[in-house]
């Protein structure tokens, strides 16, 4: 193995083309050339199936949709080399299994029913080749020869060269003069010299095989359902990436060995153009270099400039055993090999596009650091051991071990700050992300990595660590928010909007725990966003979590100096050997996001509203990262006095407060707006602002208030959707196409979507589900749902302008709507309360509240949820008080875009009159469990009741249904929204 984390066929061969890219294009070319729908099939193993099928679904959907594209290889246990019992691998149990060699082709054909189906479909001949051999195509001349000779089985062979001396060769069995295949693993040690003698054994098996399917069926029938192949014993380690792990035996068979089972089998000598496989890093380097070119029908062939003879490549077998080592060695580009006869490398080196090997070259490096070899090197023996190295950019490998509890949730990884500050905690997680991102196909050396956060305690130190680890993992350019500050929506905007194109961001680390408290004794968090600007998809987070459980080391540039992130500017750090440099751009935190917002809203209309004498406002940033953004928009753009901003100076502990914009925690703003923590009016001395808003720690949430009036997040979402055409972003694109809400959010927006004939979606909580809908066309080639608005009851609202919820966007949306409702300054002000009550008058009112029980014991909270799940069937149809439970279930969501299924998303009690009671455990708390209870009742006529009164009976029923007092010891919530 080459230490791959995915199918070898997904390795890039030329530029961005993988083996499967070229194979798929070869198939399409053959179909066009032959005028026939040439059948194409894959045999996948348990470790390659998901990767390859996803690849075809994404890039070649027509091929992916074909019947019988895949058949699965079997899997067998690895055998302990000492005890001959099944091997164990505690760090990664998946390493305990292996595919039984490509000889399993025949068992897979039989067991899957594919052989029978092919014969029934009239197929007579099958051509088989390895996916990494791009020289193997369905050649009509060879097929004609196979058919006219009436052979039952034919093996393509090439004349052996020194490069092929270890490959299986063709031989004649003395006993019966039958053709047989001898593999190196079948050869005794004392015969190895003779086995590798290319003058004695002149022809090797290319593994390009032609098979008569009817003859294969005859052998299967004769042998009782299988084809007898000689067994090969391969000595390996249980962890293919760790030579020190348990020694094991893998029992395999070779598909070419079937030549001895077919009467009338034959072989044919073919040119080397039919054989270009990749078994080791030697082969991959050669194929990627200019020694090979790609033909018009997408076959790699030897460059004519090589004179018909491929260079002999011999990289250090220990230093370049894993493909990751080759990727690092060629991170500056692939060297030229077209003029090379032989390249021998001992030790670690680095090469680049400027490196040209000519003639016979030998390079030795006995130092621990990979040394850079550049320029033209002709017929030379070099010892680069004492050459200057990377200096400050030299990566160090630091030993580590898995740390429990690093499973990221929907909003990344959140823990107590002091836990993040323990040895290797942050480093392990960051390395696990890099490993997952790189394994997923992202070239981190291209483009830019964005880093920023909400300014909470430990952010500055974490940023320096991530920069140094990023460089060690191959990142060449960084964009860092000034003072390390970037709101979550701003990061999304930077990824999506900031240029130039050649510097476009491939992803971002966001250092935030969102609305959770900050400080040395509170919470810290980290999340990764991908190149669409949205949170990492589930597969990437699963890979990250898996990596945290097997990590053994991380990479970091220990000698790299800290970067001054306190001021805007560019820092370039060069390697001592001149081979590379790293650029860190400290960028204005607000620039990209504010520029985007200015294209979305009517800033002139909003400015006119703000300048009315009867309109006043206050925007509370709660000492989070939103402060600079609020200042940039309201002071710098709208010319408002800084007094319209409250708590707008970011602090690393949010001034000791809980930066969560709700009635409980935004108490200063709530009181200013004339309300108490339950939303009831209170007496206030002095004038009350017309408009109030609050933001959370990372700036992605919002709360909207009018004078002594609270607009619930659910009502806020519905009002914005109903008035979307007031906003240029939507009106200029022909209006909204679709809306979505999270399942716990009230159904207020459902009524608007139905009235406006919009596509509507109810999703689990988590912005990634909205992101899929936004990207349905652009990424998944599905229906276009944009322009798009979405929201959650947890004070998150946004649109498809970014791929995160956006607090300041929601504030500006409301101000744009207010401006549209107040075009004439001489008339009385239409207020937030007026707009919401007008909305209720048209659509009815969804009385709604959420109770949060924070810091609950996780065991008790989970037991409570499990009890409700188990009682779902019994509760369905049950009468409770004046309500009847029409359905009790656990919400399950099948994504209409990518088909993924999300289960256990919340226990629901759906009443026959449309009322709802919902229970969820929040995944965003840094410690303990947060139980969330949602109560909703729809009314068309009684629109002015206090919420507590309207929901009084349903709240009592909800507490009885969950029995939280028994499981968690309380019925008193910490927060009521």
């Amino acid at each position: 193995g080459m230490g791959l984390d995915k199918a070898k066929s997904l390795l890039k061969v030329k530029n961005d083309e993988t083996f499967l890219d070229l194979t798929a294009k070869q198939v399409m070319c053959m179909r066009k050339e032959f005028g026939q729908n040439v059948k194409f099939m894959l045999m996948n193993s348990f470790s390659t199936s998901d990767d390859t099928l996803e690849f075809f679904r994404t890039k070649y959907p027509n091929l992916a949709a074909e019947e019988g594209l895949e058949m699965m290889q079997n899997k067998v246990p690895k055998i302990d080399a000492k005890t001959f019992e099944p091997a164990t691998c505690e760090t990664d149990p998946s390493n305990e299994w292996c595919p039984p060699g490509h000889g399993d082709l025949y068992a897979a054909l039989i067991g899957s029913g594919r052989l029978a189906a092919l014969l029934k479909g009239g197929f007579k001949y099958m051509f088989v080749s390895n996916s990494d051999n791009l020289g193997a195509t369905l050649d009509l001349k060879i097929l004609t020869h196979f058919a006219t000779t009436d052979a039952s089985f034919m093996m393509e062979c090439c004349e052996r060269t020194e490069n092929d001396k270890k490959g299986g060769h063709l031989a004649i069995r003395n006993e019966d003069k039958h053709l047989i295949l001898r593999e190196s693993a079948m050869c005794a040690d004392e015969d190895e010299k003779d086995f590798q003698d290319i003058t004695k054994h002149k022809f090797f098996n290319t593994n390009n095989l032609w098979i008569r399917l009817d003859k294969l069926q005859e052998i299967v029938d004769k042998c009782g359902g299988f084809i007898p192949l000689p067994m090969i014993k391969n000595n390996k380690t249980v962890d293919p990436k760790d030579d020190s792990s348990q020694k094991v035996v893998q029992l395999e068979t070779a598909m070419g060995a079937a030549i001895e089972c077919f009467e009338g089998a034959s072989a044919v000598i073919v040119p080397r153009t039919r054989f270009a496989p990749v078994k080791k890093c030697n082969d991959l380097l050669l194929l990627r270099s200019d020694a090979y070119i790609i033909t018009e029908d997408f076959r790699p062939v030897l460059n004519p400039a090589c004179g018909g003879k491929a260079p002999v490549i011999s990289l250090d077998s220990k230093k370049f055993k894993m493909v990751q080592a080759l990727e690092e060695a060629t991170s500056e580009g692939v060297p030229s090999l077209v003029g090379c006869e032989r390249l021998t490398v001992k030790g670690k080196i680095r090469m680049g596009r400027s490196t040209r090997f000519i003639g016979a070259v030998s390079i030795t490096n006995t130092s621990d650091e990979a040394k850079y070899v550049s320029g033209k090197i002709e017929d030379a023996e070099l010892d680069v051991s004492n050459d200057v190295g990377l200096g400050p950019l030299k990566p160090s490998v630091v030993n580590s071990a898995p740390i429990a509890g690093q499973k990221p949730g929907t909003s990344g990884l959140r823990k107590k700050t002091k836990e993040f500050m323990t040895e290797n905690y942050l480093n392990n997680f960051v390395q696990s992300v890099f490993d997952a991102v790189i394994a997923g196909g992202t070239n981190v050396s291209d483009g830019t990595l964005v880093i920023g956060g909400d300014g909470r305690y430990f952010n500055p130190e974490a940023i320096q660590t991530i920069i140094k680890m990023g460089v060690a993992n191959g990142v060449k350019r960084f964009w860092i928010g000034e003072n390390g500050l970037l709101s979550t929506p701003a990061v999304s905007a930077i990824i999506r909007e900031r240029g130039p194109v050649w510097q476009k961001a491939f992803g971002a680390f966001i250092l935030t725990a969102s609305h959770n408290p900050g400080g040395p004794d509170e919470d810290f968090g980290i999340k990764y966003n991908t190149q669409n600007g949205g949170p990492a998809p589930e597969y990437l987070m699963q890979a990250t979590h898996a990596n945290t459980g097997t990590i053994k080391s991380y990479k970091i540039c220990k000698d790299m100096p800290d970067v001054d992130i306190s001021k805007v500017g560019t820092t370039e750090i060069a390697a001592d050997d001149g081979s590379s440099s790293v650029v860190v751009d400290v960028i204005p935190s607000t620039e990209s996001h504010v520029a985007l917002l200015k294209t979305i809203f009517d800033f002139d209309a909003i400015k006119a509203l703000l300048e009315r004498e009867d309109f006043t406002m206050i925007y509370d940033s709660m000492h989070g990262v939103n402060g600079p953004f609020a200042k940039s928009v309201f002071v710098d753009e709208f010319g408002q006095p800084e007094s319209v901003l409250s708590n707008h100076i970011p602090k690393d502990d949010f001034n000791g407060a809980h930066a969560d914009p709700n009635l409980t925690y935004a108490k200063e703003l709530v009181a200013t707006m004339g309300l108490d923590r339950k939303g009831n009016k209170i007496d206030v001395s002095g004038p009350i602002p017309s408009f109030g808003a609050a933001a959370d720690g990372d700036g992605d949430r919002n709360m909207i208030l009018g004078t002594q009036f609270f607009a619930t997040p659910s009502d806020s979402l519905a009002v914005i959707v109903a008035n979307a055409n007031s906003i240029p972003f939507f009106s200029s694109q022909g209006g909204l196409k679709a809306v979505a809400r999270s399942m716990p959010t009230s159904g207020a927006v459902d009524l608007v979507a139905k009235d406006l004939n919009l596509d509507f979606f109810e999703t689990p909580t988590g912005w990634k589900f909205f992101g899929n809908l936004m990207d349905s066309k652009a990424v998944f080639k599905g229906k276009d749902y944009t322009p798009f608005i979405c929201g959650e009851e947890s004070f998150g609202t946004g649109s498809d302008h970014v791929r995160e919820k956006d607090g300041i966007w929601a504030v500006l949306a409301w101000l744009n709507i207010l401006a549209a409702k107040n075009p004439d300054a001489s008339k009385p002000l239409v207020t937030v309360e007026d707009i919401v009550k007008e909305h209720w008058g048209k659509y009815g009112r969804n009385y709604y509240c959420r109770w949060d029980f924070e810091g609950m014991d996780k065991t008790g909270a989970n037991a409570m949820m499990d009890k409700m799940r188990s009682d779902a069937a019994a509760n369905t149809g049950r009468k409770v008080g004046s309500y009847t439970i029409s359905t009790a279930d656990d919400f399950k969501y099948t994504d209409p875009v990518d088909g993924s299924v999300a289960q256990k998303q919340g226990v629901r009690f759906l009443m026959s009159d449309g009322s709802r009671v919902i229970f969820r455990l929040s995944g965003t708390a840094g410690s303990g469990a947060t139980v969330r209870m949602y109560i909703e009742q729809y009314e068309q006529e009684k629109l002015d009741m206090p919420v507590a009164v309207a929901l009084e009976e349903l709240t009592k029923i909800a507490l009885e249904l969950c029995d939280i007092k028994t499981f968690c010891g309380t019925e008193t919530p910490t927060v009521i929204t």
Side-chain angles (χ1 to χ4, degrees):
M2 298 170 68
L4 297 171
D5 296 309
K6 58 183 177 182
K8 185 196 293 183
S9 55
L10 292 176
L11 277 176
K12 291 179 180 178
V13 182
K14 288 287 187 182
N15 300 318
D16 287 329
E17 301 272 58
T18 66
F19 286 103
L20 283 184
D21 277 308
L22 295 174
T23 299
K25 290 176 180 179
Q26 287 176 0
V27 170
M28 291 186 284
C29 277
M30 284 188 283
R31 290 178 175 180
K32 183 177 180 180
E33 179 184 354
F34 303 156
Q36 297 286 331
N37 188 29
V38 178
K39 180 71 175 173
F40 174 55
M41 296 174 63
L42 294 166
M43 179 172 75
N44 269 321
S45 73
F46 63 93
S47 61
T48 64
S49 177
D50 290 345
D51 286 340
T52 53
L53 290 184
E54 178 61 26
F55 170 85
F56 276 102
R57 280 192 292 265
T58 301
K59 297 194 72 173
Y60 305 97
N62 291 338
L63 287 177
E66 291 182 2
E67 176 66 26
L69 172 67
E70 179 192 57
M71 60 181 181
M72 284 292 288
Q73 196 174 11
N74 292 292
K75 66 177 183 178
V76 296
K78 296 176 183 177
I79 307 301
D80 187 308
K82 290 184 178 179
T83 66
F84 294 104
E85 294 180 348
T88 58
C89 183
E90 293 183 1
T91 58
D92 187 357
S94 67
N95 281 332
E96 297 170 2
W97 296 85
C98 64
H102 44 59
D104 196 52
L105 166 73
Y106 308 104
L109 277 167
I110 298 161
S112 67
R114 294 284 184 245
L115 177 58
L118 289 169
L119 288 168
K120 185 178 179 181
F123 291 94
K124 184 176 182 180
Y125 303 106
M126 172 180 276
F127 173 64
V128 184
S129 67
N130 291 347
S131 63
D132 64 354
N133 181 11
L134 293 170
T137 57
L138 200 159
D139 187 293
L140 282 185
K141 291 181 180 178
I142 300 176
L143 174 58
T144 300
H145 172 76
F146 181 49
T148 55
T149 58
D150 200 33
S152 56
F153 182 103
M154 186 170 74
M155 175 185 291
E156 293 185 26
C157 297
C158 283
E159 293 188 28
R160 293 175 99 193
T161 67
E162 190 177 349
N163 275 349
D164 318 306
K165 64 184 183 181
K166 294 184 179 181
H169 66 75
L170 197 60
I172 297 176
R173 190 162 54 204
N174 292 330
E175 179 184 348
D176 55 9
K177 305 303 180 185
H178 209 294
L179 289 171
I180 63 169
L181 175 67
R182 292 181 74 215
E183 296 283 359
S184 59
M186 302 163 66
C187 175
D189 291 342
E190 59 268 24
D191 293 334
E192 184 176 358
K193 183 177 180 180
D194 285 335
F195 180 92
Q196 295 183 10
D197 186 343
I198 63 175
T199 62
K200 183 175 184 178
H201 300 294
K202 297 182 178 180
F203 307 107
F204 73 92
N205 169 31
T206 64
N207 243 16
N208 301 343
L209 307 177
W210 298 82
I211 303 168
R212 275 270 299 269
L213 294 177
D214 55 338
K215 297 298 184 182
L216 174 59
Q217 185 65 60
E218 289 177 11
I219 296 172
V220 170
D221 292 340
K222 179 182 177 181
C223 296
F226 72 104
I227 183 167
L229 299 175
M231 191 69 68
I232 300 171
K233 174 185 168 184
N234 272 327
N235 296 314
K236 304 279 187 178
T237 55
V238 68
D239 183 347
K241 295 182 180 180
D242 184 359
D243 289 339
S244 66
S245 63
Q246 180 185 10
K247 296 187 183 304
V248 297
V249 171
Q250 293 182 194
L251 299 179
E252 302 175 2
T253 58
M255 63 184 182
I259 195 169
E260 67 180 68
C261 301
F262 286 81
E263 292 298 329
S266 66
V268 61
I269 300 174
V270 296
R272 295 290 299 207
T273 53
R274 302 270 307 159
F275 185 68
V278 171
K279 302 301 179 188
K280 296 182 178 180
C281 289
N282 297 337
D283 308 316
L284 186 58
L285 176 62
L286 187 61
L287 193 56
R288 285 178 171 176
S289 78
D290 55 2
Y292 273 84
I293 58 175
I294 302 297
T295 64
E296 290 184 355
D297 56 353
F298 300 100
R299 291 178 298 111
V301 297
L302 191 64
N303 191 327
C306 288
K309 189 175 182 180
V312 177
I313 307 299
S314 179
L315 301 177
D316 191 303
S317 60
K318 291 185 178 179
K319 304 300 183 183
F320 290 94
K321 180 180 179 181
M322 305 300 176
V323 72
Q324 293 87 346
L326 180 64
E327 303 287 11
E328 291 174 6
T330 57
S331 64
E332 300 298 325
V334 178
S336 172
L337 295 172
V338 70
C340 184
E341 296 173 7
R342 179 186 297 271
L343 173 64
T344 303
V345 176
K346 295 179 180 179
K348 297 190 294 184
I349 67 168
R350 292 178 293 113
M351 304 163 275
R353 294 179 187 88
S354 66
T355 311
R356 292 174 58 209
F357 295 115
I358 298 175
V361 177
S362 176
I363 302 173
T364 300
N365 176 24
T366 58
S367 72
D368 292 335
E369 181 182 358
K371 297 299 174 65
Y372 188 58
V373 179
S374 64
K376 178 181 175 181
I377 304 167
E378 184 173 1
D379 292 321
E381 292 187 12
L382 302 179
D383 188 332
V384 298
S385 305
N386 296 320
D387 286 9
V388 67
L390 287 167
L393 302 186
K394 176 188 175 182
S396 297
V397 177
V398 180
N399 291 331
S400 189
I403 299 172
Q406 289 199 324
K407 182 177 182 179
T410 57
S411 300
L413 180 66
R414 294 182 186 174
K415 297 288 181 179
K416 289 298 181 184
T417 304
K418 286 182 177 177
E419 188 167 1
F420 264 101
M421 294 173 70
T422 58
E423 185 179 15
N424 294 344
Y425 194 92
L426 174 66
N427 308 67
N428 273 19
F429 187 77
V430 171
Q431 186 63 57
S432 297
V433 173
F434 275 126
D435 288 344
V437 169
I438 293 169
T442 297
N443 183 354
V444 299
S445 296
D446 289 341
T448 304
L449 178 65
V450 182
I451 309 175
D454 58 14
R456 68 180 58 231
Y457 191 86
F458 190 53
N459 263 24
E461 297 85 351
I463 289 172
Q464 298 295 341
T465 295
I466 296 170
I467 292 173
K468 294 172 185 179
M469 291 188 67
V471 174
N473 280 277
V475 181
K476 302 295 185 186
R477 181 178 292 275
F478 300 83
W479 288 334
I480 314 295
E482 185 178 5
N483 291 309
L485 298 176
L486 288 175
S487 72
T488 294
V491 170
S492 187
I494 290 168
I495 293 174
R496 296 176 63 82
E497 301 291 331
R498 189 176 179 87
V501 172
W502 63 274
Q503 293 182 8
K504 289 291 286 185
F506 62 80
F509 281 101
I510 309 177
L511 304 174
T512 178
S514 190
H515 55 292
N516 290 11
D521 297 316
E522 297 295 349
D523 294 343
F524 188 83
I526 181 171
K527 61 183 286 192
Y528 184 80
N529 280 31
T530 56
Q531 60 188 358
N532 75 334
E538 187 66 23
Y539 78 85
L540 192 58
M541 286 298 90
Q542 288 177 351
T544 296
H545 181 225
N547 291 341
T548 67
T550 58
I551 191 169
K552 294 178 180 176
S553 62
Y554 60 83
K555 301 173 187 175
I556 189 168
C557 292
K558 291 182 177 180
D559 297 330
M560 181 176 169
D562 284 355
V563 177
D564 182 0
I565 61 174
S566 67
K567 56 186 177 182
V568 172
T570 298
T571 300
E572 184 169 3
I573 302 172
D576 286 352
D577 60 13
S579 62
S580 64
S581 63
V582 170
V583 175
V584 181
D585 286 322
V586 178
I587 62 176
S589 299
T590 65
E591 184 178 62
S592 295
H593 192 204
V594 173
L596 177 60
L597 293 171
K598 289 173 69 175
T599 70
I600 294 170
F601 300 104
D602 186 341
F603 267 44
D604 289 338
I606 296 174
K607 190 173 189 296
L609 171 73
L610 296 176
E611 290 175 349
R612 284 180 59 138
E613 291 186 2
D614 59 351
F615 186 89
T616 54
M617 69 164 284
I618 187 73
Y619 193 0
D620 187 352
S621 292
M622 303 187 77
H623 290 295
V625 74
N626 188 70
F629 293 83
K631 182 177 183 297
S632 179
V633 170
F634 288 94
V635 177
D636 300 341
E637 294 293 337
F638 292 139
Q640 292 293 297
E642 204 162 325
S643 58
V644 302
L645 308 179
S646 173
N647 302 319
H648 62 289
I649 306 300
K651 296 189 177 182
D652 65 6
D653 65 347
F654 309 122
N655 206 37
H658 193 155
D660 192 355
N662 57 48
L663 294 172
T664 298
Y665 293 124
K667 51 190 175 184
E668 181 180 324
L669 171 69
V670 172
T672 299
M673 298 303 295
L675 297 171
D676 65 14
R677 68 189 297 267
K678 293 184 179 180
N680 299 316
K681 294 181 180 180
I682 59 172
D683 292 331
V684 176
S685 60
I688 299 174
S690 316
F691 181 83
D696 68 335
D698 69 327
D700 65 349
R701 300 181 188 226
N702 73 94
M703 179 170 64
I704 303 298
L705 301 134
T707 303
Q708 294 191 303
F709 185 84
F710 168 55
T712 71
S714 297
D715 282 337
S716 176
L717 171 64
V719 167
I720 293 173
V721 169
N723 294 275
N725 275 340
S726 301
I727 300 170
F729 180 82
F730 302 106
S731 60
S732 64
Q733 297 184 71
L736 269 178
K737 287 183 181 176
V739 298
R741 64 165 173 83
S742 65
M743 181 272 290
T745 304
S746 94
V749 76
D750 309 28
L751 303 169
V752 180
K754 183 178 180 181
D755 179 50
L756 299 180
N757 195 30
L758 304 174
D759 284 322
F760 167 76
F761 301 92
E762 180 184 34
T763 74
T765 58
W767 214 256
K768 62 183 179 182
F769 298 103
F770 296 146
N772 264 12
L773 293 164
M774 296 178 198
D775 289 331
S776 176
K777 181 180 180 181
V779 176
F780 298 96
K781 314 304 180 187
K783 184 175 178 179
D784 186 3
Y785 294 118
T786 61
F788 180 91
I789 289 178
C790 50
E792 299 179 328
E793 50 70 37
S794 53
F795 297 88
T797 325
S799 80
D800 59 291
H801 68 294
V802 291
R803 294 298 181 268
E804 291 279 6
K805 48 185 172 277
D806 190 345
I808 200 167
W809 176 92
V811 172
L812 289 170
W814 263 97
L815 290 172
N816 209 145
I817 292 167
L818 281 163
K821 296 284 188 180
N822 291 280
D824 188 346
S826 66
K827 294 183 178 180
L829 182 71
V830 178
T831 66
V832 171
E833 182 175 2
D834 294 334
I835 292 172
V836 174
K837 287 189 173 180
E838 180 186 9
H839 184 91
W840 291 343
K842 180 175 181 179
Y843 293 105
R845 182 177 181 183
N846 293 73
Y847 285 98
Y848 181 89
C849 75
R850 185 184 94 191
W851 286 21
D852 286 3
F853 299 86
E854 298 173 319
M856 297 295 102
D857 174 69
K858 289 185 178 180
T859 302
N862 280 312
M864 181 188 77
M865 297 296 292
D866 289 340
K867 179 68 164 57
M868 286 189 286
R869 290 186 183 105
S870 65
D871 290 347
N875 278 324
T876 298
R878 175 183 165 196
K879 188 171 178 60
V880 285
S882 60
Y883 297 88
T884 299
I885 302 172
S886 61
T887 302
D889 66 6
D890 199 350
F891 183 58
K892 176 182 175 181
Y893 178 73
T894 301
D895 196 303
V897 176
D898 66 9
S900 61
V901 178
Q903 303 190 60
K904 291 190 173 182
Q905 295 299 306
V907 174
R908 304 187 300 176
F909 296 93
L910 309 180
M911 307 302 176
S912 57
D913 68 345
S915 300
R916 299 190 306 163
V917 174
I918 297 165
F919 294 91
R920 285 184 60 251
L921 292 185
S922 170
T924 61
S927 60
T930 296
V931 177
R932 287 185 170 155
M933 180 176 80
Y934 309 84
I935 315 292
E936 178 183 4
Q937 180 167 308
Y938 177 67
E939 288 283 353
Q940 282 186 297
E941 297 178 358
K942 300 177 181 178
L943 304 180
D944 290 319
M945 289 189 291
V947 174
V949 174
L951 299 178
E952 183 176 8
E953 182 186 3
L954 202 53
T955 301
K956 290 179 180 178
I957 290 169
L959 293 171
E960 291 171 4
L961 288 170
C962 69
D963 196 15
I964 193 170
K965 182 70 178 290
T966 298
F967 287 98
C968 298
T970 185
E971 284 187 345
T972 303
T974 51
V975 177
I976 297 178
T977 302

